[in-house]
Amino acid sequence: MSPKSYILDPSEKATPVMLGTPDLLLWGDLVTKQHVSITGFMNTLAEDFVPVRDAKVLFLAPAQQAAPLERSVVYVKLEKILLFFSMGEQAELPEESEVRRYEPIEAIVGPFQVEGEIVKSPIATLQNLLLVSKEAYMPIYKATIRHVAKPWLGTFTANMVQLRHNRVTIALT
Protein backbone atom coordinates (compact mmCIF):
# COMPACT_ATOMS: atom_id res chain seq x y z
CA MET A 1 0.00 0.00 0.00
CA SER A 2 1.46 3.30 -0.99
CA PRO A 3 -0.14 6.41 0.47
CA LYS A 4 -2.26 6.10 3.57
CA SER A 5 -5.75 4.73 2.98
CA TYR A 6 -7.16 7.00 5.66
CA ILE A 7 -7.18 10.68 6.57
CA LEU A 8 -6.37 11.80 10.08
CA ASP A 9 -8.49 14.36 11.87
CA PRO A 10 -6.29 17.19 13.31
CA SER A 11 -6.97 15.79 16.79
CA GLU A 12 -5.71 12.30 15.82
CA LYS A 13 -2.37 10.57 15.40
CA ALA A 14 -1.29 7.30 13.81
CA THR A 15 1.18 5.07 15.66
CA PRO A 16 2.81 2.08 13.96
CA VAL A 17 2.11 -1.01 16.07
CA MET A 18 2.67 -4.75 15.90
CA LEU A 19 0.51 -7.37 17.50
CA GLY A 20 0.53 -11.12 17.69
CA THR A 21 -2.36 -13.55 17.98
CA PRO A 22 -2.18 -17.34 18.12
CA ASP A 23 -2.42 -17.44 14.31
CA LEU A 24 -1.22 -14.07 13.00
CA LEU A 25 1.48 -11.47 13.18
CA LEU A 26 -0.05 -8.14 12.20
CA TRP A 27 1.38 -4.65 11.86
CA GLY A 28 0.03 -1.30 10.76
CA ASP A 29 -1.23 1.99 12.16
CA LEU A 30 -3.30 2.45 15.29
CA VAL A 31 -5.25 5.71 15.04
CA THR A 32 -5.95 7.42 18.36
CA LYS A 33 -6.49 10.91 19.72
CA GLN A 34 -3.29 12.99 19.94
CA HIS A 35 -3.16 12.87 23.75
CA VAL A 36 -3.52 9.06 24.03
CA SER A 37 -0.47 7.18 25.25
CA ILE A 38 0.01 3.86 23.48
CA THR A 39 1.47 2.38 26.67
CA GLY A 40 -1.92 2.47 28.37
CA PHE A 41 -4.11 1.85 25.34
CA MET A 42 -4.64 -1.92 25.71
CA ASN A 43 -5.73 -1.72 29.36
CA THR A 44 -7.79 1.45 29.22
CA LEU A 45 -9.09 2.42 25.80
CA ALA A 46 -9.07 -0.65 23.58
CA GLU A 47 -12.54 -1.79 22.60
CA ASP A 48 -13.66 -5.35 21.79
CA PHE A 49 -12.16 -5.02 18.30
CA VAL A 50 -8.92 -3.09 17.73
CA PRO A 51 -8.78 -1.48 14.26
CA VAL A 52 -5.35 -1.55 12.62
CA ARG A 53 -5.14 0.59 9.50
CA ASP A 54 -2.95 -0.03 6.46
CA ALA A 55 -2.33 -3.44 7.95
CA LYS A 56 -0.03 -6.22 6.89
CA VAL A 57 -1.20 -9.65 8.01
CA LEU A 58 1.21 -12.57 8.16
CA PHE A 59 -0.42 -15.96 8.69
CA LEU A 60 1.61 -18.16 11.01
CA ALA A 61 0.62 -21.35 9.19
CA PRO A 62 2.29 -24.57 10.34
CA ALA A 63 4.37 -25.27 7.25
CA GLN A 64 4.47 -22.62 4.59
CA GLN A 65 5.83 -19.10 4.36
CA ALA A 66 3.58 -16.71 2.50
CA ALA A 67 3.88 -13.00 1.85
CA PRO A 68 1.82 -10.80 4.17
CA LEU A 69 -1.63 -9.73 3.01
CA GLU A 70 -2.20 -6.00 2.83
CA ARG A 71 -5.54 -4.56 3.91
CA SER A 72 -6.78 -1.01 4.49
CA VAL A 73 -8.16 -1.96 7.91
CA VAL A 74 -8.21 -5.13 10.00
CA TYR A 75 -10.32 -5.45 13.16
CA VAL A 76 -8.67 -7.76 15.69
CA LYS A 77 -10.68 -9.23 18.57
CA LEU A 78 -9.09 -7.82 21.75
CA GLU A 79 -9.09 -11.14 23.60
CA LYS A 80 -7.15 -12.76 20.71
CA ILE A 81 -4.26 -10.29 21.03
CA LEU A 82 -1.43 -12.07 22.87
CA LEU A 83 1.19 -9.36 22.50
CA PHE A 84 1.13 -5.71 21.49
CA PHE A 85 3.85 -3.10 21.08
CA SER A 86 4.49 0.22 19.41
CA MET A 87 6.98 0.33 16.57
CA GLY A 88 6.92 4.13 16.63
CA GLU A 89 6.16 5.79 19.96
CA GLN A 90 8.70 4.33 22.38
CA ALA A 91 7.48 3.75 25.91
CA GLU A 92 9.31 5.66 28.58
CA LEU A 93 11.01 3.19 30.89
CA PRO A 94 10.10 3.46 34.58
CA GLU A 95 12.98 4.44 36.82
CA GLU A 96 14.13 2.09 39.52
CA SER A 97 13.77 3.21 43.12
CA GLU A 98 13.77 1.69 46.58
CA VAL A 99 10.21 0.48 46.02
CA ARG A 100 10.48 -0.82 42.47
CA ARG A 101 13.19 -2.77 40.71
CA TYR A 102 13.62 -4.46 37.36
CA GLU A 103 13.69 -8.25 37.46
CA PRO A 104 14.69 -10.28 34.39
CA ILE A 105 12.08 -12.76 33.21
CA GLU A 106 11.16 -14.94 30.30
CA ALA A 107 7.51 -14.97 29.24
CA ILE A 108 5.77 -17.40 26.95
CA VAL A 109 2.48 -16.32 25.48
CA GLY A 110 1.05 -18.59 22.82
CA PRO A 111 3.79 -19.22 20.24
CA PHE A 112 5.81 -16.16 21.32
CA GLN A 113 8.81 -16.12 23.65
CA VAL A 114 9.61 -12.78 25.26
CA GLU A 115 12.76 -12.04 27.24
CA GLY A 116 12.80 -8.82 29.18
CA GLU A 117 12.27 -7.28 32.57
CA ILE A 118 9.31 -6.73 34.82
CA VAL A 119 9.06 -3.91 37.38
CA LYS A 120 8.16 -5.03 40.89
CA SER A 121 8.73 -4.26 44.52
CA PRO A 122 11.92 -5.87 45.86
CA ILE A 123 9.95 -7.29 48.80
CA ALA A 124 7.12 -8.78 46.71
CA THR A 125 7.46 -12.17 45.13
CA LEU A 126 6.84 -12.55 41.43
CA GLN A 127 4.01 -14.96 42.20
CA ASN A 128 2.28 -12.37 44.40
CA LEU A 129 2.66 -9.73 41.70
CA LEU A 130 1.07 -12.06 39.15
CA LEU A 131 -1.76 -12.99 41.52
CA VAL A 132 -2.75 -9.43 42.42
CA SER A 133 -2.44 -7.91 38.95
CA LYS A 134 -5.89 -7.12 37.55
CA GLU A 135 -4.87 -5.60 34.21
CA ALA A 136 -5.70 -7.55 31.06
CA TYR A 137 -2.23 -6.78 29.62
CA MET A 138 1.01 -6.77 31.58
CA PRO A 139 4.05 -4.72 30.55
CA ILE A 140 7.43 -6.32 29.93
CA TYR A 141 10.27 -3.80 29.50
CA LYS A 142 13.45 -4.00 27.39
CA ALA A 143 11.85 -6.87 25.50
CA THR A 144 13.16 -9.20 22.83
CA ILE A 145 10.39 -11.12 21.06
CA ARG A 146 10.64 -14.24 18.92
CA HIS A 147 8.17 -16.73 17.49
CA VAL A 148 9.27 -20.13 18.75
CA ALA A 149 8.06 -22.11 15.73
CA LYS A 150 9.07 -19.53 13.10
CA PRO A 151 12.76 -18.69 13.59
CA TRP A 152 12.82 -17.18 10.07
CA LEU A 153 10.84 -14.22 11.49
CA GLY A 154 13.93 -13.18 13.44
CA THR A 155 13.61 -11.16 16.63
CA PHE A 156 11.81 -7.94 17.43
CA THR A 157 12.76 -5.53 20.21
CA ALA A 158 10.70 -2.96 22.05
CA ASN A 159 11.10 -0.76 25.13
CA MET A 160 7.81 -2.23 26.27
CA VAL A 161 5.61 -5.06 25.06
CA GLN A 162 2.21 -5.78 26.57
CA LEU A 163 1.30 -9.44 27.06
CA ARG A 164 -2.17 -10.93 27.59
CA HIS A 165 -2.12 -11.63 31.35
CA ASN A 166 -4.50 -14.62 31.29
CA ARG A 167 -2.41 -16.39 28.60
CA VAL A 168 1.11 -15.77 29.88
CA THR A 169 3.55 -18.23 31.45
CA ILE A 170 6.49 -16.68 33.30
CA ALA A 171 9.92 -18.22 33.87
CA LEU A 172 12.75 -16.64 35.85
CA THR A 173 15.96 -16.37 33.88
Side-chain angles (χ1 to χ4, degrees):
M1 290 179 204
S2 27
K4 299 294 182 187
S5 66
Y6 58 90
I7 297 171
L8 290 175
D9 182 272
S11 65
E12 295 176 324
K13 67 178 179 180
T15 304
V17 297
M18 181 175 279
L19 54 90
T21 74
D23 309 306
L24 306 170
L25 190 61
L26 186 135
W27 61 99
D29 294 340
L30 179 65
V31 175
T32 61
K33 295 294 184 189
Q34 284 284 351
H35 66 278
V36 170
S37 167
I38 295 301
T39 59
F41 176 80
M42 294 299 284
N43 284 318
T44 57
L45 297 173
E47 296 178 341
D48 285 343
F49 286 88
V50 176
V52 179
R53 304 208 180 256
D54 289 349
K56 292 183 176 52
V57 181
L58 182 65
F59 291 94
L60 300 172
Q64 58 193 8
Q65 281 179 252
L69 297 178
E70 295 186 21
R71 298 294 184 258
S72 61
V73 66
V74 174
Y75 295 91
V76 185
K77 183 78 169 153
L78 182 62
E79 64 195 34
K80 292 283 189 184
I81 300 172
L82 300 176
L83 66 86
F84 174 91
F85 64 94
S86 170
M87 298 186 316
E89 181 181 307
Q90 288 299 313
E92 195 170 309
L93 296 173
E95 290 188 26
E96 286 188 306
S97 69
E98 290 183 23
V99 295
R100 64 181 185 184
R101 297 267 186 245
Y102 283 105
E103 184 170 327
I105 63 161
E106 177 182 355
I108 300 147
V109 58
F112 299 96
Q113 176 189 24
V114 180
E115 293 175 349
E117 298 181 350
I118 195 165
V119 175
K120 70 173 208 54
S121 165
I123 60 173
T125 66
L126 182 57
Q127 183 176 8
N128 285 345
L129 174 71
L130 294 170
L131 290 172
V132 300
S133 178
K134 301 297 181 214
E135 301 288 332
Y137 289 86
M138 63 184 294
I140 305 293
Y141 300 97
K142 305 174 194 173
T144 300
I145 305 141
R146 63 184 56 78
H147 191 281
V148 179
K150 307 288 183 208
W152 53 266
L153 284 172
T155 60
F156 305 96
T157 58
N159 276 359
M160 183 186 78
V161 61
Q162 296 175 63
L163 305 179
R164 185 81 181 170
H165 188 268
N166 67 354
R167 293 285 311 271
V168 74
T169 300
I170 302 288
L172 295 178
T173 57

